[in-house]
Amino acid sequence: MPLARAIIGTLGGIPRALALAETEVADLYAVATALQAAHNAVMDVALDVIALEEGRRLVAERRRPVSSHREGGPAE
């Protein structure tokens, strides 16, 4: 499940970034890379959630009868 993997990757990336931050200044690139990976995973999760909610909204709209159909009017 991509959503679960993204969340686990995010949670795993933060301690790694913090551990790297305690090393020498030369390792700052590795810290930045780990933080960027965690950021990307969080963004992926957010976009997945938005897409799921939008999909649910679209499905709900399709299932809702059009008012003219219920009143016996012409179909749209």
Side-chain angles (χ1 to χ4, degrees):
M1 178 174 226
L3 185 63
R5 275 186 257 140
I7 292 170
I8 291 168
T10 300
L11 297 176
I14 293 170
R16 180 174 178 256
L18 293 174
L20 289 171
E22 295 175 2
T23 62
E24 298 179 16
V25 176
D27 294 329
L28 285 179
Y29 179 78
V31 171
T33 302
L35 288 173
Q36 184 65 48
H39 170 267
N40 291 344
V42 169
M43 290 301 292
D44 288 346
V45 169
L47 291 173
D48 285 347
V49 169
I50 291 168
L52 286 171
E53 289 300 318
E54 184 64 12
R56 288 183 186 139
R57 185 187 66 77
L58 291 172
V59 168
E61 282 182 6
R62 286 188 201 145
R63 290 183 180 169
R64 192 175 341 169
V66 177
S67 60
S68 63
H69 287 231
R70 284 183 282 162
E71 298 169 4
E76 294 180 11

